[in-house]
Amino acid sequence: MPRATICSPRPPLTLNLREAVNIWAWSDDGQIALPRVAIEAVAPDWSTFNVFHNMTFPDGRVLRYSADDKSLPTIGPKGMPTIPGRRAT
């Protein structure tokens, strides 16, 4: 079972410091790729997180999505800050 990553439970004081969780995934046959799926915030205001999703296909098509969403508590079921894209209240 994978270990949970500990996220920052509150914004740091360092201006423009980023808290982010990224994944890169692709199919073994090269038919689809997710070159970046990310949830990130920029300090000092973590009231909103940015969500990015890119998808590529073998014919050269690229789908891109980005949006902002409100932050919620980072605290997971075991009382640790393990939920990315959210902040402590």
Side-chain angles (χ1 to χ4, degrees):
M1 181 171 177
R3 292 185 332 174
T5 299
I6 302 299
C7 303
S8 298
R10 60 190 54 80
L13 298 176
T14 306
L15 185 63
N16 296 322
L17 183 71
R18 291 181 182 269
E19 168 79 349
V21 174
N22 293 276
I23 65 166
W24 297 267
W26 52 91
S27 62
D28 288 338
D29 62 5
Q31 293 300 303
I32 192 168
L34 302 171
R36 182 170 186 238
V37 177
I39 301 170
E40 64 181 34
V42 180
D45 180 17
W46 283 8
S47 62
T48 301
F49 269 70
N50 309 108
V51 178
F52 303 96
H53 180 199
N54 300 323
M55 182 181 290
T56 62
F57 299 91
D59 64 2
R61 290 179 298 140
V62 176
L63 299 177
R64 298 181 70 203
Y65 171 81
S66 65
D68 295 334
D69 202 358
K70 289 184 177 181
S71 297
L72 297 170
T74 59
I75 305 304
K78 294 184 179 180
M80 299 294 293
T82 56
I83 303 172
R86 300 167 183 244
R87 69 172 181 85
T89 56

